[in-house]
Amino acid sequence: MLELQSIGKRFGAFELKDVSLTINDGEYFVLLGPSGVGKTVLMEIIAGLIRPDKGRILWDGEDITSRPPEARGFSVVYQDYALFGHLTVRRNVAYGPAAAGASAEKIRRQVAGLAEILRIEEILDRYPKSLSGGEQQRVALARALAVGPQLLLLDEPLSAVDVNTRLRLRKELKRINTELNVPVLHITHDPQEAITLGDRICVMLDSRIRQVGTAAELFHEPCEPDVARFLGMRNILPVNRVKGGVCFIDDRQIEAGAADETTTHIWIRPEEILISTEAFESSARNQFRCLVAEIEHHGSLPAVQVVSGAMSLTALITYRSFKELQIAVGAEVYITFKSSSVHCL
Amino acid sequence: MLELQSIGKRFGAFELKDVSLTINDGEYFVLLGPSGVGKTVLMEIIAGLIRPDKGRILWDGEDITSRPPEARGFSVVYQDYALFGHLTVRRNVAYGPAAAGASAEKIRRQVAGLAEILRIEEILDRYPKSLSGGEQQRVALARALAVGPQLLLLDEPLSAVDVNTRLRLRKELKRINTELNVPVLHITHDPQEAITLGDRICVMLDSRIRQVGTAAELFHEPCEPDVARFLGMRNILPVNRVKGGVCFIDDRQIEAGAADETTTHIWIRPEEILISTEAFESSARNQFRCLVAEIEHHGSLPAVQVVSGAMSLTALITYRSFKELQIAVGAEVYITFKSSSVHCL
Amino acid sequence: MANQRQIGWFNLVLALLGSCVILFVVAPLVGIVLATPASDLKAASVDREVLESIRLTLAAALFATVTSALVGVPFAYLLARKDFWGRSIVLAVIDLPIIIPHSAAGIALLTVIGRQSLIGRLFGRPLTGTTAGIAVAMAFVSIPFLINAAREAFGSVDTKLEKAARTLGAAPWRVFFTISLPLARRGILSGLVLMWARGISEFGAVVIVAYHPMTTPVMIFQRFNDYGLGAATSVAVLLILICVAIFIMLRVFLRPKAEEF
Amino acid sequence: MANQRQIGWFNLVLALLGSCVILFVVAPLVGIVLATPASDLKAASVDREVLESIRLTLAAALFATVTSALVGVPFAYLLARKDFWGRSIVLAVIDLPIIIPHSAAGIALLTVIGRQSLIGRLFGRPLTGTTAGIAVAMAFVSIPFLINAAREAFGSVDTKLEKAARTLGAAPWRVFFTISLPLARRGILSGLVLMWARGISEFGAVVIVAYHPMTTPVMIFQRFNDYGLGAATSVAVLLILICVAIFIMLRVFLRPKAEEF
């Protein structure tokens, strides 16, 4: 178990502030944040490549803050893989065991085993330069796993490969984590990736940790609007005041079952908003007449942006409804959503 | 109107093969393809920066193949903006008019006008280095527009900015295209971007043009499985044979209204597949008992991958149904889709 | 902790080796300054013969530099941008003066500008023993420094900037003067100063082309030969100080400023 | 088309300027070869005095290079990797020998290794007039080339590779020998050859430290002074050929091979 206690680090104008977090045994932990927020610095602090100005790092309760990287056993896979260009794939993978003084026979067996797991047997005698992005990625993983790491640190490992390879490698990473029972710290700027992979996700904004939790927790109860926005959520509305379960938002009132005095923002999932061409009676407590302001086609699900007075909301509907309702920019439509669909922040 | 006639270009192992296409007046034309496919080379051939080995380039019917870039009037916005670091924003924007010998007064007015349109008035006296990605992007656009271009060439203009800026800039690009009536050639590797922006989209794979059409045409009638796959479509199944509107796919038979002898692949939209925990009678002609193989959370819409024999399909359902149906990996479910939902390739 | 000490050892050994190098470079310079009484230095700095040689040296090197720049900088741009047939041979030829022994270079120059040479006959008299001859010798041995510096400076200018400028309607010559040259100016300027400094310090080629008029490096050699070490050191210190001043100028004023662009 | 011609003009002018530069560099070298009858060259190449001086020159320069490499290459690694206080001053100090006039450098070295110096008194006799003295003079003027080449070579090795190696369990010294040094080997090797070539061609500093034993650049100067141009050219051509051969070796064998990595 890795524990960071109030880690701080300053480089000129950049400052990492008071970072505390825990990575449990066998956990797939994702560090999610926009670029430039200090994720890589934090990773290098964990690896021992950068010394923090403040704070302590504990591994299974033991203070390892001043232990050099070669004695920590946390291996790093960098975004561009950082393969050793002057060595064959085989010798890249063997680098760690050789540095540890393993016997030639033991190294041979270890390389063979990892080559099988990661399906790189065919390329063991090639040089990194001649490999595709996906192959390089697997070699980098094999090299990192060859030392039998206590913790695997992955710095944006999927950002340099194309979409299809990325989907395949995601599964591979998760499989390694589960089968070899290695805890993983995975850095990414992509919320999708974090959701798909992370047992727990840590959202970092402005060099500070904002929220740690499972994907479900983050998406259902983001702790602040910044986090929600970063996660790509739409329909976050600031609330002026709340009275008896009704949120006052500029010139509109929205009924929200969960609203109380502490509510500052509400959030409505785009796919929980129903669009109709006529008003209708239903159990849903919120219904507004709107104008269609814009239609965006993301993949095959049209996102319809509607405005009602000063309030602007986006609804995600199926392509079929989109065609049946004949929605066009400027058309008058009704939106309907349940009071229980209104989430409070 | 720009016409490329059988353009070919070879650089060592790379070859651009027989490219012919037309960009109409005022059109927003998107060139879509994975990286390394030669999109930038093609753009530089259009700009006059690279001379093609073969083929002709016509502008309004006139052959401009051997005309140098400064005489074509097609301005380029590069991926990293390529702003002149030794000049202020103002002088960056004024570069083109100054090169054309415009009077100081005319340049002043032109810069002021564009600065207003692109909202860069505040930063006119700053140097590019001090600007954010989104600001640099707008300056690059202003500079390119200052020459009153015949055609605007954009090379991955949105790939270096963060998600929120990207969404804002997309609208800006579309607005410029519409309001100033400048035809745009926009290069991207992102199908989403192509769909959102393009009046017409040209899909380029393996240095060759595969299909040109509107977003709707591409998504409803992709001409070949490669194109469909690149567009991110799931559920493309190869058909063994077709008999009386029934497609034989390994050990399964799917009814498809549109299938005939020429059908080689069928394609089912993930959101047109219904998932239920029990079989039911309906007008939909295709129903299969399946096992849930995997659940992926992309944003807030879960993608459920199911297998029935050798057939694997993905269904996109709402988060609410997902919770109500209590779908878990390994569960038995039924999928149902209409014969008219089966698209033939 | 053992591992902590290991890091320390590694860097300590490197630092020790480094100190040896620094000492090796600094010791002779400190030595010569210590060996020169202030009075000798003062005497040298008002010696008309010395001052005249310094003036000659600076002027000849400046002339060599400016002339070379007018021809060499545009050529460096061509070398940075175009990949023509035989380019690597041309690059090698430009580097030749760096590795040719300077006394041999002086002899070689004599075959071109000496008494029997085409130029010698053309002008009616050889360039040997003239300021022009000195400048030619200086230019020959130092022009690679200018061209290489300018070529690298142009090479570090992103060609996309030039391409963008072309599409904005600028002809090639306009792109060169408004984009390439301003963006490469620091590198070119430091190449100019470097070439000037190399010209000033040239001894081997100059002493063969022109023993008179006497440049300062030649004068140091002559005084050492004719009057011994004592007579040479004060002039040597004076010249070293001038070169170090130019060098500091190069380092301090031409260092790329990170904050600008 | 008018615009097409414009591009042509621009490049044509640059190419013309380039031809002037090439001519300026090549003419003296062609001139000296043409001026030397084959018989003279043959005579020089069997002249025992000449051969002995060439042997001495190559050996002294080699000795200077190898010794400097053992100390300087690890130091270059430190300079490439660590950002310590005063680093830019250290970098400047290392470059000093490049800009100090070589005759002045020779005088400065005399104050350290000459008769009156500490080292002179320590050994009971000065290093002047010895092979060791020659090697010291060669090392002084050429060590910046080695250190800068090695520093740049190490600098171009991605530090992420070294970091990755550290996390794989390799101690700093192991990372240096298994990652940094092999990846920088081409740059270092070309720095070594460059330093060797610069040592061979050194004249100014060597002639002051040791007129005897006579290195080839000194012999060219001595023959020119004592017997005139004719006597000097054959030795000069011989030395130029040796230097050009080393130079071609540097260019052909040490060019980075694109296909490897």
Side-chain angles (χ1 to χ4, degrees), chain A residues 58-103:
Chain A
L58 304 182
W59 178 257
D60 286 344
E62 189 186 346
D63 187 334
I64 58 164
T65 317
S66 60
R67 194 179 285 182
E70 62 268 29
R72 292 197 181 186
F74 302 166
S75 41
V76 168
V77 175
Y78 280 103
Q79 180 166 11
D80 56 0
Y81 321 130
L83 296 178
F84 306 138
H86 61 304
L87 302 179
T88 57
V89 167
R90 186 187 303 281
R91 292 187 57 204
N92 264 280
V93 177
Y95 188 87
S103 69

Side-chain angles (χ1 to χ4, degrees), chain C residues 7-255:
Chain C
I7 311 179
W9 275 117
F10 181 70
N11 286 332
L12 198 67
V13 169
L14 298 191
L16 272 175
L17 293 175
S19 311
C20 297
V21 173
I22 302 291
L23 189 70
F24 178 55
V25 171
V26 170
L29 302 176
V30 172
I32 194 173
V33 171
L34 292 181
T36 314
S39 56
D40 281 17
L41 198 62
K42 204 174 164 196
S45 67
V46 293
D47 182 337
R48 294 203 45 171
E49 217 179 23
V50 172
L51 292 181
E52 174 54 26
S53 87
I54 289 176
R55 201 199 56 74
L56 169 72
T57 309
L58 297 183
L62 188 64
F63 178 71
T65 303
V66 170
T67 314
S68 302
L70 293 177
V71 181
V73 170
F75 182 43
Y77 180 70
L78 185 74
L79 291 173
R81 282 293 174 262
K82 301 281 168 186
D83 195 11
F84 49 87
W85 184 89
R87 180 174 175 275
S88 61
I89 294 172
V90 168
L91 290 181
V93 165
I94 288 166
D95 278 348
L96 275 179
I98 297 181
I99 53 107
I100 286 180
H102 293 172
S103 53
I107 300 287
L109 281 170
L110 283 186
T111 65
V112 180
I113 61 168
R115 199 170 304 273
Q116 303 303 319
S117 69
L118 193 69
I119 291 177
R121 281 182 225 163
L122 210 69
F123 284 79
R125 47 166 299 211
L127 291 181
T128 49
T130 66
T131 308
I134 293 171
V136 167
M138 287 174 168
F140 182 79
V141 297
S142 59
I143 200 169
F145 293 92
L146 172 63
I147 292 187
N148 287 336
R151 181 169 57 81
E152 273 168 33
F154 284 127
S156 70
V157 174
D158 191 347
T159 55
K160 280 209 292 297
L161 299 181
E162 296 175 353
K163 287 178 176 175
R166 290 290 298 279
T167 69
L168 294 171
W173 61 268
R174 191 182 185 99
V175 174
F176 176 74
F177 283 107
T178 60
I179 304 296
S180 323
L181 204 56
L183 284 170
R185 67 176 186 281
R186 276 179 191 285
I188 293 170
L189 221 59
S190 82
L192 289 172
V193 178
L194 192 63
M195 180 173 175
W196 190 44
R198 269 300 285 113
I200 290 169
S201 65
E202 180 52 24
F203 167 59
V206 170
V207 75
I208 284 176
V209 169
Y211 199 80
H212 286 285
M214 206 174 259
T215 65
T216 319
V218 174
M219 180 175 282
I220 292 168
F221 178 69
Q222 176 252 337
R223 293 205 170 183
F224 173 67
N225 267 358
D226 294 358
Y227 312 109
L229 186 58
T233 49
S234 55
V235 184
V237 169
L238 208 61
L239 187 57
I240 287 175
L241 291 179
I242 290 172
C243 287
V244 168
I246 294 175
F247 181 62
I248 290 174
M249 193 175 85
L250 182 71
R251 288 270 161 170
V252 174
F253 295 108
L254 295 178
R255 189 187 302 176

Side-chain angles (χ1 to χ4, degrees), chain B residues 254 268 272-280 284-292 304-308 311-315 332-337:
Chain B
I254 291 179
I268 305 143
E272 296 194 344
I273 297 177
L274 204 86
I275 292 195
S276 55
T277 45
E278 287 171 4
F280 60 92
R285 305 302 301 263
N286 295 294
Q287 190 167 80
F288 298 95
R289 199 173 67 177
C290 301
L291 287 177
V292 175
V304 180
Q305 195 190 320
V306 298
V307 289
S308 170
M311 181 174 75
S312 167
L313 288 171
T314 300
E332 200 182 89
V333 294
Y334 288 83
I335 61 169
T336 308
F337 50 92

Side-chain angles (χ1 to χ4, degrees), chain C residues 71, chain D residues 15-25:
Chain C
V71 181
Chain D
L16 272 175
L17 292 175
S19 311
C20 298
V21 174
I22 301 292
L23 189 69
F24 177 56
V25 171

